[in-house]
Structures are given as C-alpha cells and as structure tokens.
Amino acid sequence: MANPKPEELTQIDYQPGRKDWMNPAVEFRKGVFCYSAAPKNLRYLGLPNPREWQPFDKDWKLPADWKRTILEGMRERLRKFRSFRLFMDICVRCGACADKCHFYIGSGDPKNMPVLRAELIRSVYRRYFTTAGRVLGRLAGARELTEDVLKEWFYYFYQCTECRRCSVFCPYGIDTAEVTMIVRELLNLVGCNINWVVEPAANCFRTGNHLGIQPHGFKDSIDFAVDELEEITGIRVEAPINRKGAEILFVVPSADYFATPHYFTLLGYLMLLHEAGLDYTFSAYASEGGNFGLFQSHEMMKRLNAKIYAEARRLGVKWILGGECGHMWRVIHQYMDTLNGPADFLEVPVSPVTGTRFEHARSTKMVHICEFTSDLIRHGKLRLDPSRNNRWNVTFHDSCNPARAMGLLEEPRYILRNVCKNFHEMPENTIREQTFCCGSGAGLGTDENFEMRMRGGLPRANAVKYVRDKFGVNLVACVCAIDKATLPTLFEYWVPGMEVAGVHELVGNALLMKGERERTGDLRGEPFQEKEASTHA
Amino acid sequence: MKALSSLALVVALAALAFFLGRVEPLRVVLGVIIPYVAIAIFLAGVSYKVIVWSLSPVPFRIPTSCGQQKSLSWIKAGWLENPHSTPGVVARMALEVLLFRSLFRNTKAELREGPRLIYGERRFLWLGALAFHWSFLVIFVRHLRFFIEPVPRLVMVLDRLDSFFQVGIPLLYITDVTIVAALLYLLLRRLRDPQVRYISLFADYFALFLILGLALSGVWMRYFARIDVVAVKQLAIGLVTFSPIVPREVTSLFLVHLILLSTLLAYFPFSKLMHMGGIFLSPTRNLANNNRRKRHVNPWDYPVPVHPYQEWEAEFHDKIAAAGLPLEK
Ligand code: HEM
Ligand code: SF4
Ligand code: SF4
C-alpha cells in the first residue's frame, strides 16, 4: 500500500515500447487513476447512467447503445466547435508538443504525449467521419470504437489537467485541453466520470460551493476569520454576507475559507478590503468562484457559473471582484460573459480608492484581486512593510489558467516585489506562458491518484528545487486554490520543507493597517524575523 | 514498416507513370486527364473543407495567451504574444504562418541525474520546417514561368535570386538543394527520433516521400535528363488555356513528375496537408484576448437547468435565518 519513493518514480524510460499504439491497453493500477463518480451525485445533477462501478472493474455497465451515443455526441460536437473539428483535421504529428506535457515528462508513457492523447480520439474520428478512414481503416490511422478504446479515453483524458502547455508549442495552436474537454463531455454522456469532479459540481449546484458548506457554515467560517484577525491586528473588520446595496460582490474559491494554507489568503483579503475601505459583500449563494463544471462539460460549467451574475443582480452591486483561483479565472475570463452574460445590469468596474477604470473588464465586469491590489499599490494607497515577510524567500508559480488563458503574469509579480524582499524567479522554461502545472488540476487532485500526481508535478517541483538550492527559496507563492491544496503534498514528496502561500497572504503580512496593535507575528502566528534578529543583536 | 510501404507506394506510382507514359494512347490520360481530375479534386476538396471549417461556429473565445494581458495602463501588455486587438492578432498570425513562431519555441526536456530536468533549445525542427516550406513556395512560384507567357517580372526576379550563386549548367537553384535536404532531415527525424517514430502514421511518411519524389524527379529532369523545356511549356500552357496537347518531345520522365504532382493535389484535401488552410482558422491563435472587454456570443447557446436563488433560500431557509443572514422571504 506504500506509495512509491521518489527514487523509484524517477526511473523513467522514455523509449516508447514496440507495440503499435493503436492497440488499446490500459491497466488501472493503484495510484494512477481516479475513482468513479458516486451515483447519488449523478442523480442530483440529472446526469446519464448513474450506477456503482469502478474503472478497474471488467464490466463498466455501459448503456446498451453507448457506442451510438458517443458517435452521435461526436457528430454534434464536430458541428458545434470549430476548435474540435479543426484539431481533429490538421495535426501533422510533428511531435513538437510531445515532451511539453508534464505527464509525459513525469511518466514516459507515450500516450501522455499530447499528440497521442489527441490521436486516441482522432483515430476514431477518422474511422467514422472521414472517407479515407472509412475506406482504408488502419492504413489511414483509423480504428474502431470499442469498449477498450473507451476505457483508454477514460484513462488518458483523466490524465490531462487541461493546462494548455502543449498549445503554446504547437505550430497550429492545437490545444489538447480543448480535446480533453470534449472527450470528457462524451464520456459524461455514458456515465464515465470521476467523483472528484462530479461531487464538487453537485455540491456547488446545491449549496453554492464545492465543499457543500451550507449558509450558516459559511457565515461561521467568515466570522471565525474576522475574530482571528481581531486577535492578530486588534482591528475588527467587517465581512458582510448577502448584503444588498453593496458596491461590490466578492467571490472567492471555497477552499479559501475552509482549507489551509488558503485560509491565510482569506485573512489577507479581509485586511486589504478593510484597509481600502471597500463597500463589498460576500454571498453565501454564490460562495464559490471555482467551477468544476469546466472539467466535465460546457453545459455544467454554465449551470454552475450562472449563480454569480444572478447574485450580482439580486444584490444590486455595481461590479464583481474575484479571489485567487486558477481555473475559476479561466471560466470568468474566457467563458462567463458568453455563457451567462450580458452583464448589462452592472457597471464598468472602477476602483473606489484610486478611481482607476478597469477598461479591460468593461464587458464581463469582474476584476481579479491581483489587478485590484496592484493598482492600489501603484497609486501608493497601501502602507506596506515588506520586511515582515523576511522569513520567506519567495518564488512565484504561474498557475496554468491565469498564465495561458488570460495572461495575468505581471500583476502578481508586481505585488510580490512590493510585499517581500526576497524574490527569485524559477528558470525561464518553467514560468509565465511556459509554466508547469501542479499535476493535480482539472479534478485530478485525489488521494487515490497519488502516483500520477507526483509524476505530473515533477517538472514543477524540480524547478522549485532548483531555486531552493540556488537561492535558498523556501516559499512558493501562487494565485490558485488547487495549487494551494495540492502543491504542499507535491513538495513534501519532491522538495521537503517548501511552503506554499497565496499572494494575498503575503500582502496581509506586509500590510500596515491604520490603528493596528503592535504586531509581532505573521498570519500563520510565526514571529516576524527582523524583530527576532534585533532582540538577538 | 509504415515508412517502407509508403515509399513503395510512391515508387510504384512513379514506375507506373514511367512505363505507361511510353504507351502512346495513354499519354493523354497521364498528361491531361489525370491532371485535370486532380486539380478538380483539389479545388473542390479544399474549398469544401475550408467552407465546413468556416461554417462551424466558434462558441467561445479561447486564445492561448503567451504573454502579458492588457489590463492596467502601466503594465506593458504583450501585444504580439497575447494580442488584445486586431493588429496584434494579424501580426501574431503572420508570424505563425510566415515564420512558424510557435515552433521556434521548441525545447527538449531531458531528465538527468539528481533528478534534474533540463530544457534545451531545439530549433532544428523549426529550421528544417522553414527551409522545406519556403523552398516549396519559391519553387511553386518559379514554376509559373511554365504557365504564363510572357513570364511575369516577379517570377524572373525570383528565378535570378534563386540561382544567385551562378554555378553549374543549367544554373543550380538554391531551393532545389534546400528542399531536398530539408525533406531528408524531416524524414530522418521521423525515423530516428523514437517518440516521433512512434506517433507517425503511414500518411506521415507518404506525404514526405511523395513530395520528395516530386522534388527529385524535378531535379533529375533539370540537371541530369535535360528535358525539352519548350515542349513542357507547351503542355503546361495547353492545360491552363483548356486546349491541352501532349507534345511528342515530352518524355515519360516528365509524366512521372506530373503524376506525382497530381497525386499530391488529389490527396491534399483528405490529408493533414490541410494544415495550410487550418492554421488560419485556429481559434487559439486567431482571436484577440479581449474577453472581458468585449462580449463574445455563442450562436448555439441554450438555456440550462440552474439552481435559482429562490430555491436555494427555500431549502436553507431556517439555517439562513438562524445565522442571522438577510432573507428575501
Ligand atoms: C500556409 C501555408 C503553410 C504553413 C504555414 C505550414 C506550416 C507547417 C508547419 C508549422 C509544419 C510543422 C513542422 C514540420 O513538421 O515540418 C508543417 C508540416 C508539414 N507541411 Fe506545411 N505549411 C503550409 C503549407 C504546406 C504545403 C502547401 C505543403 C505541401 C504540399 C505542406 C507540407 C507539409 C508537410 C509534408 C509537413 C510535415 C513534415 C513532417 O512530416 O515532418 N505544408 N507545415
Ligand atoms: S505540435 Fe501540434 S501539429 Fe505537432 S504533433 Fe503536436 S498537436 Fe500535432
Ligand atoms: S493540456 Fe496539459 S496536461 Fe493536457 S495534454 Fe496538454 S500539456 Fe498535457
């Protein structure tokens, strides 16, 4: 039952086997796949084929006409998505994307090369939707859709974190994440989903957040944070919930108020928003910024996302501010307005403190908190003492979605340079648009998937190790809830001793609040280092 | 295996053309009918594909951002790598199409002792791809001298540039050397690189061998067989003016060249070679990253079941009340 040791995992053979990849063969070995979705969650969401089953079962209890359902689903999506059709047609198999995927780098499994991942469905596309494939079959790279092929899809498309790194390098911008999104939709049609995606979606649909926290629980955890902040700073901040007439609705990923180290980021937000004097409210109904619908289907994404605009309208706010979360921002930046807009009942976001109009968000009307905070700092509206973060030597991990589906690169870096004194970048090929995934995104961050997560996270962890050894970095800052949840495990495995924090935790540490009591320690309760140093001197 | 069989197929095609080209009544089939059919398939097939692509909707705006977004005025936006407006998109696309920008990023990941992951630059693929495509384009344009009389100035200038070194008789074209070298490199890479070999299909080798065969037969005619260019020009002009003839002086070696070209044309619309059209339509590249500034409309958007606030409040009513949060009802 013991997990494999790091030395074992790095014995990677990149030599592809001799067998033709067209023969489907997967082994659902412990540690490299996620468990199936519980039927109650499928039922709650009204999704097809709820049943008890596991990927390692021989019989997947597929519906009798599963094959027709999948092929019909493909036909429909080929018609609806230019991306899908084009990506099925134009790959030249140049292999430029091959070693760009963290799962391939960490596993050496040739089917984790983005090009082959996509070929798993492209071969089926050729068989049923192209003349050459229908006539020439295997010679044209076409193969039948069989149950084994479906199992292979399940295995490999739940071994892609939709990080889009491959699409940066592909000469045609073929985005395997897009292919993965479509295949997961298809798998959904016959009830082949994983619980770690469907359960959060079901929770979110019902209670408003992935963790299934009910309104009173939400209120309790926010109150708890307010109490704790009072202890730390001597200031009692306001953190209203469901308050009508506030200027701004603030939406954060639910992990921020229920998990560590996210929680320290929440403290940071609360301090910042108090200090900026923002007239805002949380919502218990829209108490989740994240959206696990993204990892399941475009439809589910829309169903979950709908509550944000609906709540903004009900509460009568002017615009929306969003917390630190990676995939949440993919949905908000690239999908929300299209899915559930137009947000014509809101106003173009304007910072009440600096007067800055966030023109770039004039249609969606939602601003990233890093955009908001960096604007405050730029205008000198915050008093910051970066030496309060002296115990940290910081690097920044770009999360996949803010980097490659948005371009939020400089805002967090600008903040970090202003709130801490020691900051070092990781190597160029591992940051910004070339950043490496945590290995656990897109719903794959489960305990049972441990080995594959560690493999997928190897490139990220390895770059962190590099800056630890070279510059003495001891903290990885990031703006993603999934990172905060999964990087600590990853680093414990590959780079022991490395800590993880949200950018706004470091803001909270450095922020000098008006009327604060003399602070001796940071948000984690650790003493400030300079103070220690001076008593020793 | 796949490589050998596709090589065999190309050789068989060439041999067939070579021998049939000596049978007088079949010369019209090889020199006129097949080329016309091939061109028709090419035009119809490519148009069909491009129309199908263009008519399929782009429901979401999903550019891959490879640089800083345009947000606050004082943060320098990556207008080229993450374009927020049309000029940026046009420039980004031009770089992709003309210089293969994304391929230029190529790196090679290597796992060393430690473990240490190293990402080395790997520009050979980019260089080889660029050499092949540009040579192909130049050769294509140079060929216009067979089809147009008088020969356009641009074609003559290109011709002169291409034979800049003034060596050999007839003058050696630079692109003849580069296209063959590049194709051999691409082939060798496909065969030697274990990953690329693993992913390669029959079609991948076939495209390369076919184009290589086309190029080599051309080279053979020009530098070794020294075929009758005037006769070839007669045939070419005959084709484009719809008064086709196959002059006696046209050898069956030329018919080999023509059949390989016809095969390429007819094969084109059904193959990965359609990347030529597809690259322009790729939604991760040809859209501006102005998502939050400008609303993108999904033409097939449809209503979905949601969990409205009222239902939510009804379900948790007592708990909301107990927590002291405001209620609608
Ligand atoms: C707008 C025009 C075109 C662009 C931008 C373009 C771009 C590219 C790129 C970036 C690659 C990947 C690199 C490589 O594997 O070499 C490629 C591959 C390839 N292209 Fe094109 N291409 C175009 C037109 C054509 C045409 C007209 C042909 C041939 C008739 C062609 C034949 C090929 C072949 C055979 C490959 C695969 C090479 C291999 O197998 O390694 N391309 N193209
Ligand atoms: S880089 Fe693009 S074209 Fe090349 S193999 Fe990968 S997906 Fe295909
Ligand atoms: S999106 Fe990321 S995880 Fe998926 S194939 Fe591409 S590089 Fe790999």
Side-chain angles (χ1 to χ4, degrees):
Chain A
M1 164 71 236
N3 290 317
K5 295 198 176 55
E7 307 81 74
E8 291 165 21
L9 279 205
T10 47
Q11 302 303 316
I12 302 170
D13 182 7
Y14 291 102
Q15 198 71 27
R18 299 192 55 82
K19 274 208 302 245
D20 190 341
W21 66 261
M22 285 226 189
N23 303 320
V26 285
E27 185 197 346
F28 288 93
R29 186 164 55 79
K30 201 165 182 58
V32 296
F33 70 95
C34 300
Y35 293 145
S36 68
K40 68 170 191 326
N41 295 321
L42 295 189
R43 272 193 208 102
Y44 185 76
L45 291 168
L47 297 176
N49 201 17
R51 71 209 181 284
E52 294 287 351
W53 71 287
Q54 284 303 343
F56 47 75
D57 291 344
K58 223 177 133 46
D59 179 7
W60 278 23
K61 303 181 192 161
L62 298 171
D65 59 347
W66 69 268
K67 195 165 152 180
R68 225 196 62 222
T69 308
I70 296 269
L71 292 175
E72 276 311 309
M74 273 180 82
R75 186 184 313 284
E76 181 189 341
R77 282 159 186 80
L78 286 166
R79 213 177 44 234
K80 281 180 158 178
F81 293 88
R82 182 183 298 172
S83 52
F84 184 40
R85 183 172 279 273
L86 206 66
F87 296 166
M88 288 298 103
D89 278 332
I90 63 172
C91 170
V92 297
R93 284 167 298 279
C94 67
C97 57
D99 60 354
K100 308 306 180 285
C101 176
H102 49 282
F103 282 118
Y104 178 65
I105 296 175
S107 72
D109 182 343
K111 288 182 184 170
N112 268 327
M113 294 191 261
V115 45
L116 262 199
R117 199 188 305 286
E119 287 285 315
L120 297 179
I121 179 166
R122 218 178 263 128
S123 50
V124 172
Y125 165 75
R126 286 191 284 256
R127 165 66 185 76
Y128 297 92
F129 300 95
T130 70
T131 325
R134 262 189 294 246
V135 179
L136 298 176
R138 224 174 153 105
L139 193 64
R143 61 176 184 168
E144 292 288 324
L145 176 59
T146 63
E147 210 165 311
D148 284 337
V149 169
L150 192 80
K151 289 183 177 179
E152 202 180 46
W153 283 7
F154 181 89
Y155 187 74
Y156 288 104
F157 288 103
Y158 283 105
Q159 226 165 83
C160 162
T161 45
E162 304 183 2
C163 78
R164 313 187 95 197
R165 191 169 192 269
C166 46
S167 86
V168 168
F169 293 88
C170 173
Y172 319 117
I174 293 178
D175 182 7
T176 308
E178 183 78 0
V179 178
T180 296
M181 287 167 70
I182 300 281
V183 178
R184 287 190 182 188
E185 281 198 20
L186 296 172
L187 289 168
N188 247 293
L189 297 177
V190 293
C192 297
N193 351 43
I194 64 172
N195 202 46
W196 200 247
V197 168
V198 182
E199 180 150 317
N203 284 339
C204 191
F205 196 69
R206 173 163 178 251
T207 65
N209 59 70
H210 290 157
L211 301 171
I213 297 158
Q214 301 188 3
H216 56 295
F218 178 63
K219 170 113 186 352
D220 282 351
S221 44
I222 298 288
D223 285 350
F224 187 84
V226 169
D227 290 344
E228 182 153 6
L229 264 185
E230 186 172 14
E231 255 166 55
I232 298 173
T233 65
I235 295 168
R236 187 149 190 95
V237 303
E238 296 233 4
I241 299 172
N242 289 12
R243 179 167 68 87
K244 283 195 173 177
E247 184 181 351
I248 295 160
L249 170 63
F250 185 37
V251 180
V252 302
S254 55
D256 281 359
Y257 51 87
F258 242 82
T260 320
H262 312 62
Y263 176 68
F264 306 117
T265 300
L266 175 73
L267 297 182
Y269 301 148
L270 294 178
M271 294 167 72
L272 175 90
L273 299 185
H274 170 87
E275 204 51 24
L278 222 60
D279 173 19
Y280 77 99
T281 180
F282 284 103
S283 158
Y285 167 65
S287 49
E288 178 66 76
N291 189 328
F292 271 36
L294 173 70
F295 308 141
Q296 182 173 334
S297 68
H298 289 87
E299 179 171 310
M300 190 57 66
M301 172 166 42
K302 178 168 169 151
R303 287 172 70 180
L304 301 185
N305 175 260
K307 62 194 186 314
I308 295 183
Y309 277 152
E311 188 66 343
R313 190 193 287 268
R314 186 184 73 87
L315 295 174
V317 301
K318 289 187 182 156
W319 56 276
I320 311 169
L321 183 66
E324 297 181 2
C325 181
H327 78 283
M328 155 179 171
W329 272 95
R330 169 135 214 232
V331 175
I332 286 162
H333 184 73
Q334 294 201 323
Y335 294 101
M336 177 158 83
D337 205 346
T338 304
L339 291 173
N340 290 306
D344 44 14
F345 53 92
L346 297 174
E347 293 175 14
V348 177
V350 174
S351 169
V353 188
T354 64
T356 298
R357 262 171 81 89
F358 296 100
E359 282 293 340
H360 68 290
R362 62 171 304 126
S363 175
T364 302
K365 276 118 177 165
M366 185 149 175
V367 172
H368 194 289
I369 190 147
C370 283
E371 295 163 351
F372 181 76
T373 305
S374 51
D375 175 64
L376 288 178
I377 296 176
R378 175 76 178 188
H379 285 86
K381 298 295 181 189
L382 299 179
R383 290 191 309 138
L384 298 165
D385 177 3
S387 69
R388 284 180 172 187
N389 278 316
N390 271 1
R391 99 178 158 100
W392 299 123
N393 192 338
V394 183
T395 193
F396 182 66
H397 159 65
D398 289 276
S399 308
C400 309
N401 288 297
R404 285 186 283 263
M406 189 174 174
L408 184 93
L409 306 176
E410 290 305 330
E411 293 87 344
R413 287 179 166 80
Y414 179 80
I415 297 172
L416 287 175
R417 291 208 178 85
N418 277 281
V419 300
C420 60
K421 289 191 158 170
N422 312 305
F423 177 76
H424 296 280
E425 291 279 15
M426 284 181 274
E428 203 190 342
N429 288 311
T430 68
I431 54 169
R432 297 177 187 270
E433 77 277 6
Q434 299 198 26
T435 189
F436 274 109
C437 181
C438 60
S440 302
L444 308 187
T446 66
D447 290 341
E448 69 266 20
N449 196 29
F450 184 83
E451 180 185 327
M452 198 42 76
R453 285 171 53 196
M454 295 306 108
R455 288 185 180 281
L458 172 63
R460 170 41 75 226
N462 204 252
V464 168
K465 183 160 163 287
Y466 176 83
V467 284
R468 180 196 68 183
D469 297 347
K470 186 155 181 191
F471 305 113
V473 162
N474 61 0
L475 181 81
V476 174
C478 59
V479 287
C480 173
I482 294 182
D483 284 335
K484 288 170 206 162
T486 66
L487 285 180
T489 318
L490 183 77
F491 294 152
E492 193 185 309
Y493 190 81
W494 293 114
V495 210
M498 188 63 56
E499 298 275 342
V500 177
V503 167
H504 280 78
E505 174 184 343
L506 302 182
V507 171
N509 284 339
L511 188 67
L512 298 162
M513 297 173 77
K514 280 181 255 0
E516 72 178 15
R517 79 155 63 110
E518 172 141 20
R519 278 179 61 184
T520 53
D522 64 17
L523 295 176
R524 299 189 179 194
E526 296 287 329
F528 290 135
Q529 209 156 59
E530 42 157 18
K531 301 259 161 66
E532 252 188 352
S534 60
T535 46
H536 286 298
Chain B
M1 244 336 271
K2 293 175 192 155
L4 278 182
S5 49
S6 52
L7 173 63
L9 183 58
V10 173
V11 170
L13 274 170
L16 200 68
F18 188 77
F19 292 111
L20 296 185
R22 306 184 153 204
V23 184
E24 184 53 42
L26 291 182
R27 284 165 59 84
V28 180
V29 178
L30 295 178
V32 177
I33 298 179
I34 292 182
Y36 272 142
V37 172
I39 291 171
I41 295 178
F42 175 80
L43 292 178
V46 170
S47 321
Y48 175 76
K49 260 275 155 65
V50 171
I51 288 171
V52 167
W53 284 339
S54 322
L55 291 185
S56 50
V58 181
F60 302 103
R61 190 186 343 238
I62 52 164
T64 305
S65 52
C66 298
Q68 169 63 33
Q69 65 168 349
K70 171 138 182 72
S71 54
L72 300 163
S73 59
W74 48 273
I75 296 180
K76 196 162 170 292
W79 69 277
L80 188 61
E81 303 285 14
N82 188 359
H84 56 270
S85 61
T86 311
V89 171
V90 171
R92 184 187 204 188
M93 288 306 295
L95 274 191
E96 290 290 359
V97 171
L98 300 176
L99 294 176
F100 302 177
R101 164 72 184 104
S102 291
L103 203 56
F104 188 68
R105 293 194 181 97
N106 198 20
T107 54
K108 171 102 187 141
E110 228 179 289
L111 182 61
R112 303 239 175 104
E113 276 304 301
R116 257 186 83 201
L117 275 165
I118 314 277
Y119 310 94
E121 284 180 5
R122 210 28 84 92
R123 298 265 155 79
F124 277 113
L125 174 60
W126 172 80
L127 199 68
L130 212 60
F132 160 62
H133 284 84
W134 274 103
S135 306
F136 194 97
L137 181 66
V138 169
I139 293 171
F140 175 78
V141 175
R142 275 205 282 97
H143 274 65
L144 294 180
R145 77 182 187 279
F146 295 116
F147 295 94
I148 307 172
E149 189 60 54
V151 180
R153 270 191 70 87
L154 176 81
V155 176
M156 296 212 304
V157 171
L158 200 63
D159 211 278
R160 214 155 313 139
L161 282 178
D162 202 359
S163 49
F164 178 75
F165 291 119
Q166 301 279 322
V167 288
I169 297 174
L171 290 180
L172 179 74
Y173 286 128
I174 301 164
T175 47
D176 286 355
V177 177
T178 46
I179 198 169
V180 174
L183 280 166
L184 287 175
Y185 164 73
L186 291 174
L187 258 173
L188 221 62
R189 173 176 178 275
R190 239 181 226 296
L191 289 166
R192 295 270 307 275
D193 184 314
Q195 278 83 27
V196 183
R197 188 189 169 112
Y198 192 71
I199 61 176
S200 293
L201 299 175
F202 176 85
D204 300 319
Y205 296 108
F206 181 65
L208 287 173
F209 279 123
L210 187 61
I211 300 171
L212 188 63
L214 186 59
L216 287 178
S217 60
V219 165
W220 189 263
M221 286 190 296
R222 178 174 169 86
Y223 302 101
F224 304 104
R226 312 289 289 275
I227 59 151
D228 186 337
V229 178
V230 178
V232 167
K233 188 154 181 170
Q234 267 180 339
L235 184 145
I237 289 188
L239 281 176
V240 290
T241 55
F242 294 104
S243 42
I245 44 158
V246 185
R248 286 193 57 78
E249 296 78 8
V250 167
T251 60
S252 64
L253 176 58
F254 173 76
L255 293 177
V256 168
H257 193 59
L258 197 59
I259 286 301
L260 292 180
L261 175 66
S262 301
T263 311
L264 181 65
L265 286 174
Y267 176 63
F268 199 98
F270 308 100
S271 70
K272 66 170 190 175
L273 299 177
M274 281 304 295
H275 66 271
M276 177 168 121
I279 189 171
F280 293 94
L281 293 174
S282 182
T284 60
R285 290 287 186 274
N286 73 0
L287 292 167
N289 178 29
N290 57 357
N291 288 58
R292 277 183 290 156
R293 181 189 303 259
K294 231 179 128 202
R295 179 157 193 260
H296 181 88
V297 176
N298 173 0
W300 49 259
D301 190 37
Y302 58 95
V304 296
V306 296
H307 190 55
Y309 176 84
Q310 288 69 21
E311 284 174 22
W312 177 85
E313 185 182 292
E315 180 172 354
F316 298 108
H317 187 277
D318 298 349
K319 288 167 175 165
I320 299 171
L325 294 177
L327 285 161
E328 294 275 335
K329 285 192 191 145

